Amino acid sequence: MEEKKFNQIGVSFKGSGSYVPDQILTNQKISKKVDTSDEWIKSRTGISERRISSLGDNVTDMGYKAALNAIEKANWDVNTIDLIVLATSTPHDLFGSAPSIQAKLGASNAVAFDLTAACSGFLFALITASQFLKGGNFKRAVVIGADQLSSFVDWNDRRSCILFGDGAGALAIEATNEFDNFIGFNMRTDGERGSFLNLPFKNDRDSIIDNIDFLRGGFSPIQMNGQEVYKFAVKEVPIILKKLLKETNYSSERVDWLVLHQANQRILDSVGDKLKIPREKILSNLEKYGNTSAGTIPLMIDEAIKNNKIKQNDIIATSGFGAGLSWGAALIKWG
């Protein structure tokens, strides 16, 4: 049987969705656990509170709820979805959580897989899915970013525990032969600097029998050199965004919204200043959710759409950056 090939050249954005757990961990509550304060955290990060998964939450459920929301916004029949890509570094199943989301959605015709790139994950997944659609074999895709970093935080480390939260977001994208709203992208990796941000394997040695040893599975808490990650982000993100704007013949004045990975408010402001993008065009919900890794960008886009900020045909410049070290940028038109 001959494989079906669609005649398509571009990608359109049809719907967005998000989900965050109910539990709210404020700066004041963290201050009862470690030596810090609301003023200290806000002044250095911009974060006031973050969401923490309850015992009943996991990445599969969070991703499913965000995806279902996006599918409903797109008004799609789940049987018409061809591809599901889940960006996560904290899967509910280390073998992959995307297939479980596919099953919960009932999207039996979709191929589903996980993509791991930490805080760059959603952007990398969106780029990956868009290339599948432009290739002509798939028509509809759901791209999900979901992470449950609370499970991997050292809650006694005041340098890192203040930063992270849990959440998920999703976009429904569709191939089209009429236009292309995925205007352009760039991606970078520098493994030489990868030690600045890790969720490392524990390396706990054990023995099976006699002289046959092995390493028992498991991971240590998140380890981060915050100063180096900050310097990396404020240097590299403006460079890759400027390069992308130049390559696509867009000026920063034509950008309606700057949607960056929500890591630190000072990073967001610094990148915007270097691109000469005014503060009112820099979208931020960091204060409420903290750093949700792969969840931040789609969570921010969905919130901005619900709040009637992002509208049809708005130009969005976006960048994800983090562990790897990896970073990327994309320029899209909503709709």
Side-chain angles (χ1 to χ4, degrees):
M1 183 176 176
E2 186 177 349
E3 186 178 1
K4 187 175 182 181
K5 190 84 170 178
F6 297 103
N7 178 26
Q8 52 207 36
I9 58 170
V11 171
S12 62
F13 296 83
K14 310 302 289 187
S16 64
S18 60
Y19 172 81
V20 292
D22 292 332
Q23 289 192 123
I24 299 174
L25 180 61
T26 64
N27 291 345
Q28 288 87 350
K29 289 179 180 178
I30 285 185
S31 299
K32 296 178 182 178
K33 176 73 174 177
V34 293
D35 182 18
T36 188
S37 68
D38 177 56
E39 189 278 329
W40 191 92
I41 297 170
K42 281 200 294 192
S43 65
R44 286 160 177 80
T45 69
I47 300 168
S48 292
E49 58 189 44
R50 66 288 294 148
R51 300 299 179 99
I52 303 298
S53 296
S54 67
L55 299 182
D57 281 320
N58 58 60
V59 161
T60 296
D61 288 337
M62 291 194 295
Y64 159 72
K65 291 169 183 175
L68 183 61
N69 193 204
I71 292 164
E72 290 173 345
K73 297 281 182 58
N75 197 27
W76 287 352
D77 181 334
V78 292
N79 292 310
T80 66
I81 298 168
D82 302 299
L83 174 65
I84 298 169
V85 184
L86 169 65
T88 186
S89 297
T90 56
H92 187 216
D93 182 338
L94 199 57
F95 285 172
S97 292
S100 296
I101 294 175
Q102 181 240 33
K104 287 174 72 70
L105 289 170
S108 58
N109 294 319
V111 62
F113 60 87
D114 291 16
L115 184 153
T116 300
C119 300
S120 303
F122 179 79
L123 186 69
F124 282 20
L126 184 63
I127 292 166
T128 299
S130 74
Q131 300 311 294
F132 274 108
L133 298 191
K134 291 185 180 189
N137 290 317
F138 295 147
K139 183 73 174 177
R140 287 177 169 173
V142 179
V143 185
I144 308 162
D147 269 306
Q148 189 171 336
L149 294 178
S150 64
S151 297
F152 297 94
V153 168
D154 179 354
W155 289 103
N156 293 308
D157 179 7
R158 72 170 192 151
R159 298 169 301 172
S160 62
C161 75
I162 62 173
L163 301 173
F164 300 109
D166 303 334
L171 296 184
I173 65 175
E174 186 173 69
T176 174
N177 60 7
E178 298 175 359
F179 52 84
D180 189 7
N181 282 350
F182 202 102
I183 300 165
F185 68 89
N186 270 315
M187 304 163 75
R188 293 288 310 278
T189 301
D190 181 4
E192 294 292 332
R193 291 186 280 179
S195 62
F196 295 161
L197 181 55
N198 301 105
L199 206 171
F201 196 72
K202 274 187 177 179
N203 291 327
D204 288 342
R205 289 185 58 183
D206 206 338
S207 178
I208 300 172
I209 190 171
D210 297 332
N211 296 321
I212 300 177
D213 298 327
F214 74 103
L215 295 175
R216 188 172 296 280
F219 295 89
S220 299
I222 295 168
Q223 297 176 8
M224 183 176 68
N225 184 326
Q227 190 173 30
E228 290 297 333
V229 172
Y230 178 85
K231 288 193 293 185
F232 145 73
V234 297
K235 177 185 177 183
E236 300 292 358
V237 174
I239 291 172
I240 200 169
L241 280 166
K242 286 179 182 178
K243 183 174 184 286
L244 178 60
L245 289 171
K246 184 177 180 180
E247 290 172 347
T248 53
N249 295 314
Y250 275 75
S251 66
S252 58
E253 288 78 15
R254 292 183 65 186
V255 173
D256 294 299
W257 304 107
L258 180 63
V259 181
L260 302 177
H261 165 55
Q262 306 285 297
N264 184 300
Q265 189 62 46
R266 292 188 297 166
I267 294 175
L268 273 60
D269 293 341
S270 176
V271 173
D273 290 345
K274 290 182 178 180
L275 293 172
K276 294 182 170 58
I277 293 177
R279 297 285 170 90
E280 59 267 21
K281 290 186 176 184
I282 304 172
L283 295 180
S284 175
N285 60 8
L286 182 71
E287 181 181 8
K288 295 187 295 181
Y289 304 120
N291 181 347
T292 58
S293 192
T296 67
I297 290 175
L299 184 59
M300 184 68 258
I301 289 175
D302 184 53
E303 183 175 285
I305 290 169
K306 289 176 179 175
N307 293 337
N308 295 314
K309 287 188 173 183
I310 294 178
K311 298 182 175 63
Q312 192 82 2
N313 296 321
D314 278 358
I315 302 298
I316 302 168
T318 182
S319 178
F321 49 89
L325 292 176
S326 61
W327 66 107
L331 188 67
I332 67 175
K333 179 189 287 189
W334 185 255

